[in-house]
Short mmCIF file of all heavy atoms in Angstrom, two decimals:
data_model
loop_
_atom_site.label_atom_id
_atom_site.label_comp_id
_atom_site.label_asym_id
_atom_site.label_seq_id
_atom_site.Cartn_x
_atom_site.Cartn_y
_atom_site.Cartn_z
N LYS A 1 0.83 -1.21 0.00
CA LYS A 1 0.00 0.00 0.00
C LYS A 1 0.86 1.26 0.00
O LYS A 1 0.57 2.22 -0.72
CB LYS A 1 -0.93 -0.01 1.22
CG LYS A 1 -2.04 -1.04 1.15
CD LYS A 1 -2.96 -0.98 2.36
CE LYS A 1 -3.80 0.27 2.34
NZ LYS A 1 -4.78 0.30 3.44
N ALA A 2 1.93 1.26 0.81
CA ALA A 2 2.80 2.44 0.85
C ALA A 2 3.48 2.66 -0.50
O ALA A 2 3.53 3.80 -0.99
CB ALA A 2 3.85 2.26 1.95
N ASN A 3 3.98 1.60 -1.11
CA ASN A 3 4.64 1.73 -2.40
C ASN A 3 3.69 2.24 -3.47
O ASN A 3 4.08 3.00 -4.37
CB ASN A 3 5.25 0.40 -2.83
CG ASN A 3 6.47 0.03 -2.03
OD1 ASN A 3 7.07 0.87 -1.38
ND2 ASN A 3 6.85 -1.23 -2.08
N ASP A 4 2.46 1.81 -3.39
CA ASP A 4 1.46 2.28 -4.35
C ASP A 4 1.25 3.79 -4.22
O ASP A 4 1.15 4.50 -5.23
CB ASP A 4 0.14 1.54 -4.12
CG ASP A 4 -0.85 1.77 -5.24
OD1 ASP A 4 -0.49 1.54 -6.41
OD2 ASP A 4 -1.99 2.19 -4.95
N VAL A 5 1.22 4.29 -2.99
CA VAL A 5 1.08 5.72 -2.77
C VAL A 5 2.33 6.46 -3.24
O VAL A 5 2.25 7.46 -3.96
CB VAL A 5 0.81 6.01 -1.28
CG1 VAL A 5 0.87 7.51 -1.00
CG2 VAL A 5 -0.54 5.46 -0.86
N TYR A 6 3.51 5.97 -2.83
CA TYR A 6 4.76 6.66 -3.16
C TYR A 6 4.99 6.76 -4.67
O TYR A 6 5.58 7.73 -5.16
CB TYR A 6 5.96 5.94 -2.54
CG TYR A 6 5.95 5.86 -1.03
CD1 TYR A 6 6.61 4.83 -0.37
CD2 TYR A 6 5.27 6.80 -0.26
CE1 TYR A 6 6.61 4.74 1.01
CE2 TYR A 6 5.26 6.72 1.12
CZ TYR A 6 5.93 5.68 1.76
OH TYR A 6 5.92 5.59 3.13
N SER A 7 4.55 5.72 -5.41
CA SER A 7 4.81 5.69 -6.86
C SER A 7 3.60 6.13 -7.68
O SER A 7 3.61 6.00 -8.90
CB SER A 7 5.21 4.27 -7.28
OG SER A 7 4.10 3.38 -7.19
N SER A 8 2.56 6.63 -7.00
CA SER A 8 1.31 7.02 -7.67
C SER A 8 0.73 5.86 -8.48
O SER A 8 0.20 6.04 -9.58
CB SER A 8 1.55 8.23 -8.58
OG SER A 8 2.00 9.34 -7.82
N GLY A 9 0.87 4.66 -7.93
CA GLY A 9 0.29 3.48 -8.55
C GLY A 9 1.06 2.91 -9.71
O GLY A 9 0.59 1.96 -10.36
N LYS A 10 2.25 3.41 -9.98
CA LYS A 10 2.99 2.99 -11.18
C LYS A 10 3.93 1.80 -10.94
O LYS A 10 4.27 1.09 -11.88
CB LYS A 10 3.79 4.17 -11.73
CG LYS A 10 2.94 5.32 -12.23
CD LYS A 10 3.82 6.49 -12.70
CE LYS A 10 2.95 7.65 -13.17
NZ LYS A 10 3.79 8.81 -13.60
N ALA A 11 4.38 1.60 -9.71
CA ALA A 11 5.40 0.59 -9.44
C ALA A 11 4.82 -0.55 -8.60
O ALA A 11 4.37 -0.33 -7.47
CB ALA A 11 6.59 1.21 -8.72
N LYS A 12 4.81 -1.74 -9.15
CA LYS A 12 4.38 -2.92 -8.41
C LYS A 12 5.51 -3.39 -7.50
O LYS A 12 6.69 -3.22 -7.80
CB LYS A 12 3.98 -4.04 -9.36
CG LYS A 12 2.82 -3.69 -10.28
CD LYS A 12 1.56 -3.36 -9.50
CE LYS A 12 0.40 -3.06 -10.44
NZ LYS A 12 -0.81 -2.66 -9.69
N THR A 13 5.14 -4.02 -6.40
CA THR A 13 6.11 -4.40 -5.37
C THR A 13 6.68 -5.79 -5.61
O THR A 13 5.94 -6.73 -5.90
CB THR A 13 5.45 -4.35 -3.98
OG1 THR A 13 5.03 -3.00 -3.71
CG2 THR A 13 6.42 -4.80 -2.89
N VAL A 14 8.00 -5.91 -5.46
CA VAL A 14 8.68 -7.20 -5.44
C VAL A 14 9.43 -7.30 -4.11
O VAL A 14 10.20 -6.40 -3.75
CB VAL A 14 9.66 -7.35 -6.61
CG1 VAL A 14 10.48 -8.62 -6.47
CG2 VAL A 14 8.90 -7.37 -7.94
N PHE A 15 9.19 -8.40 -3.37
CA PHE A 15 9.83 -8.60 -2.08
C PHE A 15 11.08 -9.47 -2.24
O PHE A 15 11.01 -10.56 -2.82
CB PHE A 15 8.89 -9.32 -1.11
CG PHE A 15 7.63 -8.56 -0.79
CD1 PHE A 15 6.43 -8.89 -1.40
CD2 PHE A 15 7.65 -7.52 0.13
CE1 PHE A 15 5.27 -8.20 -1.09
CE2 PHE A 15 6.50 -6.83 0.44
CZ PHE A 15 5.30 -7.16 -0.17
N ALA A 16 12.20 -8.98 -1.74
CA ALA A 16 13.35 -9.85 -1.49
C ALA A 16 13.20 -10.32 -0.06
O ALA A 16 13.44 -9.56 0.88
CB ALA A 16 14.66 -9.11 -1.70
N ALA A 17 12.73 -11.54 0.11
CA ALA A 17 12.35 -12.03 1.43
C ALA A 17 12.84 -13.47 1.54
O ALA A 17 12.34 -14.35 0.82
CB ALA A 17 10.84 -11.95 1.61
N TYR A 18 13.78 -13.71 2.42
CA TYR A 18 14.50 -14.98 2.46
C TYR A 18 13.84 -15.94 3.43
O TYR A 18 13.72 -15.66 4.62
CB TYR A 18 15.97 -14.73 2.82
CG TYR A 18 16.56 -13.62 1.99
CD1 TYR A 18 16.98 -12.42 2.59
CD2 TYR A 18 16.65 -13.72 0.61
CE1 TYR A 18 17.49 -11.38 1.83
CE2 TYR A 18 17.16 -12.69 -0.16
CZ TYR A 18 17.59 -11.52 0.45
OH TYR A 18 18.08 -10.48 -0.30
N MET A 19 13.45 -17.10 2.92
CA MET A 19 12.71 -18.08 3.71
C MET A 19 13.67 -19.00 4.48
O MET A 19 14.78 -19.27 4.05
CB MET A 19 11.84 -18.94 2.79
CG MET A 19 10.81 -18.15 1.99
SD MET A 19 9.63 -17.26 3.03
CE MET A 19 8.97 -18.60 4.02
N ASN A 20 13.16 -19.49 5.64
CA ASN A 20 13.88 -20.51 6.42
C ASN A 20 15.31 -20.07 6.73
O ASN A 20 16.27 -20.84 6.62
CB ASN A 20 13.89 -21.85 5.67
CG ASN A 20 12.49 -22.38 5.35
OD1 ASN A 20 12.34 -23.19 4.44
ND2 ASN A 20 11.47 -21.93 6.07
N TYR A 21 15.46 -18.82 7.15
CA TYR A 21 16.77 -18.17 7.26
C TYR A 21 17.69 -18.85 8.27
O TYR A 21 18.92 -18.82 8.11
CB TYR A 21 16.57 -16.70 7.63
CG TYR A 21 17.79 -15.84 7.47
CD1 TYR A 21 18.14 -15.32 6.22
CD2 TYR A 21 18.61 -15.54 8.56
CE1 TYR A 21 19.27 -14.52 6.07
CE2 TYR A 21 19.73 -14.75 8.42
CZ TYR A 21 20.05 -14.24 7.17
OH TYR A 21 21.18 -13.45 7.01
N SER A 22 17.15 -19.47 9.30
CA SER A 22 17.98 -20.09 10.33
C SER A 22 18.34 -21.54 10.03
O SER A 22 19.03 -22.19 10.82
CB SER A 22 17.28 -20.02 11.70
OG SER A 22 17.15 -18.68 12.12
N MET A 23 17.88 -22.05 8.90
CA MET A 23 18.13 -23.45 8.55
C MET A 23 19.41 -23.57 7.73
O MET A 23 19.89 -22.62 7.12
CB MET A 23 16.92 -24.01 7.79
CG MET A 23 15.66 -24.08 8.62
SD MET A 23 14.17 -24.41 7.66
CE MET A 23 14.55 -25.95 6.85
N ASP A 24 19.97 -24.80 7.72
CA ASP A 24 21.20 -25.05 6.97
C ASP A 24 21.30 -26.54 6.67
O ASP A 24 20.82 -27.39 7.44
CB ASP A 24 22.41 -24.60 7.80
CG ASP A 24 23.67 -24.45 6.96
OD1 ASP A 24 23.57 -24.58 5.72
OD2 ASP A 24 24.73 -24.22 7.54
N ASN A 25 21.91 -26.85 5.54
CA ASN A 25 22.15 -28.24 5.14
C ASN A 25 20.89 -29.09 5.20
O ASN A 25 20.85 -30.14 5.84
CB ASN A 25 23.25 -28.87 6.00
CG ASN A 25 24.59 -28.19 5.78
OD1 ASN A 25 24.98 -27.90 4.66
ND2 ASN A 25 25.29 -27.90 6.88
N CYS A 26 19.82 -28.59 4.56
CA CYS A 26 18.54 -29.29 4.57
C CYS A 26 17.71 -28.78 3.40
O CYS A 26 18.20 -28.02 2.55
CB CYS A 26 17.81 -29.05 5.89
SG CYS A 26 17.49 -27.30 6.22
N GLU A 27 16.45 -29.19 3.35
CA GLU A 27 15.53 -28.73 2.30
C GLU A 27 14.62 -27.64 2.85
O GLU A 27 14.30 -27.61 4.04
CB GLU A 27 14.69 -29.91 1.78
CG GLU A 27 15.51 -30.94 1.03
CD GLU A 27 14.64 -32.08 0.49
OE1 GLU A 27 13.51 -32.28 1.01
OE2 GLU A 27 15.09 -32.78 -0.45
N PHE A 28 14.20 -26.74 1.97
CA PHE A 28 13.22 -25.74 2.35
C PHE A 28 11.95 -26.41 2.88
O PHE A 28 11.57 -27.50 2.44
CB PHE A 28 12.83 -24.88 1.14
CG PHE A 28 13.83 -23.82 0.78
CD1 PHE A 28 14.74 -24.03 -0.24
CD2 PHE A 28 13.84 -22.61 1.45
CE1 PHE A 28 15.65 -23.05 -0.58
CE2 PHE A 28 14.75 -21.62 1.11
CZ PHE A 28 15.67 -21.84 0.09
N ASN A 29 11.30 -25.72 3.81
CA ASN A 29 10.02 -26.20 4.31
C ASN A 29 8.93 -25.76 3.34
O ASN A 29 8.56 -24.58 3.30
CB ASN A 29 9.76 -25.64 5.71
CG ASN A 29 8.42 -26.09 6.26
OD1 ASN A 29 8.02 -27.23 6.07
ND2 ASN A 29 7.73 -25.19 6.94
N THR A 30 8.40 -26.70 2.57
CA THR A 30 7.46 -26.37 1.49
C THR A 30 6.24 -25.59 1.99
O THR A 30 5.85 -24.59 1.37
CB THR A 30 7.03 -27.65 0.76
OG1 THR A 30 8.18 -28.19 0.08
CG2 THR A 30 5.94 -27.37 -0.26
N PRO A 31 5.58 -25.97 3.08
CA PRO A 31 4.41 -25.19 3.52
C PRO A 31 4.73 -23.73 3.81
O PRO A 31 3.94 -22.84 3.49
CB PRO A 31 3.95 -25.93 4.79
CG PRO A 31 4.42 -27.33 4.60
CD PRO A 31 5.74 -27.20 3.90
N GLY A 32 5.89 -23.45 4.41
CA GLY A 32 6.26 -22.06 4.68
C GLY A 32 6.46 -21.27 3.42
O GLY A 32 6.00 -20.13 3.29
#
C-alpha cells in the first residue's frame, strides 16, 4: 500500500524475502 502511494500506482512491489533463514544443510520447508 505504501509503495502504491509513493509511486502514484505505477510501481508494483517485489519482495526480497529470504525463507527458512535459520536453517542449513537441509531442504526448504514447502508449507512455509
Side-chain angles (χ1 to χ4, degrees):
K1 290 182 70 175
N3 287 342
D4 191 53
V5 172
Y6 299 154
S7 70
S8 299
K10 296 178 181 178
K12 299 299 182 183
T13 298
V14 173
F15 297 102
Y18 312 115
M19 300 300 304
N20 302 158
Y21 193 82
S22 295
M23 295 168 58
D24 196 6
N25 296 316
C26 59
E27 293 182 340
F28 281 99
N29 179 39
T30 294

